[in-house]
Amino acid sequence: MSDEPGDHPATLAAQALGLVDPTTRSIVPPIYPSAPYERAPDGSYPGGHTYTRDQNPTYDQVEALLSRLEGGQGALLFSSGMAAATTVFETLDTGDHVVAPEQMYWTIQRWLEELAGRGRIVLDLVPNGDQAALEAVLRPGRTKIVWVETPANPTCAITDIAATAEAAHAAGARVVVDSTLCTPVLCRPIEHGADLVMHSATKQLNGHADVLAGALITAQRDELWERVTHDRGYRGAVLGPFEAWLLLRGMRTLFLRVPHSATSAQRIAEWLLTHPAVSEVCYPGLPTHPGHTVAARQMSGGFGMLLSFRLRGGAAAAKTAAAGLRLFKNATSLGGVESLVEHRAPVEGPGSRVPDDLLRLSVGIEAVEDLVADLQQALAGR
Ligand code: PLP
């Protein structure tokens, strides 16, 4: 069935691994809506599929591509990034210890805090990239998961995956990296020692803001992966075949979209740095960013489509600037072809660790001159 197209990741993505439908020879894969799959008279499943809550042929190609791009041994699609993330924690036993960063996607952090509040897990939050703080909280034999998000949404804080993995593994813990902001184009966490990679595929993997999806990729087919697979099948947090098909379509242009957006984000970050209304620009591509050296070492081909900046005029100035942007649409989410802005702290609500004068930008694939001009007019006179 495979017409192997070549080894470059961009080729693998563009041709979706070069798979051609064996019956019709169609280049674009079909969508398999079937929930059940027929048994042979002996009770076996000759097609290799049993029931769509466990497997579906439409997922297979996407999972195989994701696994290949991340350098893993397997991948599973989920109904959302949250479903993928929460499945990892569902594998834990009551009282297991989890370490997560202070700055990370807030819904996952809130959910972890809720789990800890109910006594389900023991949670420590550590400052992103603070190796000494990480090592101080690790409990050998008891810490099961060290969660990493790098760059972190929305502050772009950077964590050294290799150093984290070394310390976590020495304590017997697994490292899970939320690599949503990188995609495998910019970073392959497994090469740096991660055990699992997680994506909100809703974002740049799909890239067109029309699918809600998540993914986990494993470095090894081990007991943890068995638990994850079992949990997805039992809880049924699977992606529908139509969404899986759309995700694969989006991923074919991943290697065009990601570098384009990253180049534009870099240019916008450099421009914002010179603006008098801006007090700080959070983008790991800037040499002034505290995580720049680590990011330059573990990322390649750019520093991502997400950047944030803070306004000297405080929360009120941030609100007004967000409202004044026209091309950047004021909406939540990130990683689509169209650029978005969000005044993040009010969205996260009380307890948010995000400064209230911070605006988050998700940079799409529009002409960067237009995006800079839009920022220029929105910040004029501030
Ligand atoms: N991880 C990151 C970094 C995110 O930005 C998001 C959503 O914004 C998620 C996870 C959750 O993904 P989803 O919205 O697909 O559930």
Side-chain angles (χ1 to χ4, degrees):
M1 167 146 178
S2 165
D3 300 331
E4 181 65 63
D7 271 350
H8 195 288
T11 308
L12 297 172
Q15 298 205 356
L17 293 178
L19 301 183
V20 172
D21 179 63
T23 315
T24 63
R25 308 305 295 164
S26 77
I27 303 291
V28 175
I31 301 172
Y32 294 89
S34 185
Y37 296 86
E38 193 185 32
R39 285 195 188 90
D42 66 358
S44 66
Y45 288 97
H49 297 88
T50 52
Y51 183 55
T52 200
R53 206 179 63 232
D54 295 311
Q55 326 93 7
N56 180 297
T58 325
Y59 314 154
D60 294 348
Q61 195 169 348
V62 198
E63 292 175 346
L65 177 59
L66 264 175
S67 178
R68 185 83 179 265
L69 292 179
E70 289 286 6
Q73 287 191 5
L76 287 171
L77 293 179
F78 291 83
S79 51
S80 66
M82 282 307 294
T86 55
T87 296
V88 173
F89 298 106
E90 283 300 332
T91 66
L92 296 178
D93 295 324
T94 299
D96 280 348
H97 181 227
V98 170
V99 183
E102 283 180 356
Q103 297 170 41
M104 62 184 285
Y105 175 59
W106 74 293
T107 313
I108 299 178
Q109 192 179 71
R110 288 279 160 92
W111 190 79
L112 286 174
E113 285 171 338
E114 282 175 27
L115 277 193
R118 298 205 309 266
R120 177 75 174 73
I121 58 166
V122 177
L123 177 67
D124 273 309
L125 299 180
V126 294
N128 301 50
D130 185 336
Q131 193 67 15
L134 168 68
E135 287 171 19
V137 299
L138 283 171
R139 304 182 192 182
R142 197 152 165 230
T143 309
K144 291 294 179 328
I145 300 282
V146 176
W147 189 268
V148 172
E149 185 181 316
T150 182
N153 172 11
T155 55
C156 290
I158 295 292
T159 301
D160 185 330
I161 301 169
T164 304
E166 201 180 325
H169 290 160
R174 309 297 185 92
V175 174
V176 187
V177 177
D178 181 341
S179 201
T180 299
L181 267 53
C182 283
T183 81
V185 179
L186 302 182
C187 181
R188 292 166 28 115
I190 289 172
E191 284 175 359
H192 302 281
D195 299 286
L196 289 179
V197 181
M198 179 251 147
H199 287 285
S200 166
T202 315
K203 308 297 185 303
Q204 224 173 359
L205 277 183
N206 173 59
H208 295 77
D210 51 10
V211 165
L212 185 73
L216 289 174
I217 301 97
T218 188
Q220 291 177 54
R221 288 187 173 268
D222 54 7
E223 195 203 335
L224 174 63
W225 190 244
E226 266 173 39
R227 280 200 188 194
V228 165
T229 309
H230 176 270
D231 190 86
R232 187 186 74 161
Y234 269 49
R235 289 200 304 143
V238 291
L239 195 60
F242 293 97
E243 285 79 7
W245 187 90
L246 270 177
L247 174 57
L248 186 66
R249 187 174 69 168
M251 282 178 62
R252 285 171 182 258
T253 56
L254 191 65
F255 283 79
L256 289 179
R257 291 182 284 102
V258 172
H260 185 108
S261 291
T263 304
S264 297
Q266 178 81 34
R267 174 131 168 237
I268 290 168
E270 286 166 5
W271 181 83
L272 284 168
L273 208 53
T274 65
H275 200 285
V278 174
S279 61
E280 186 184 351
V281 183
C282 312
Y283 188 65
L286 296 174
T288 49
H289 187 282
H292 177 70
T293 309
V294 173
R297 195 171 63 234
Q298 74 189 11
M299 298 171 78
S300 58
F303 295 90
M305 62 29 219
L306 187 126
L307 69 117
S308 294
F309 63 101
R310 299 178 64 186
L311 285 146
R312 290 192 198 285
K319 191 175 172 191
T320 315
L325 285 162
R326 295 184 203 133
L327 279 181
F328 284 88
K329 302 292 183 254
N330 194 339
T332 206
S333 201
L334 48 107
V337 290
E338 62 287 290
S339 296
L340 303 179
V341 60
E342 186 163 61
H343 186 198
R344 198 59 201 162
V347 174
E348 297 194 3
S352 168
R353 293 180 170 85
V354 176
D356 64 2
D357 54 6
L358 180 143
L359 288 184
R360 182 183 77 182
L361 299 181
S362 170
V363 178
I365 61 166
E366 305 93 335
V368 67
E369 297 77 13
D370 286 344
L371 296 175
V372 170
D374 194 27
L375 285 160
Q376 198 158 24
Q377 65 78 23
L379 293 178
R382 261 168 250 295

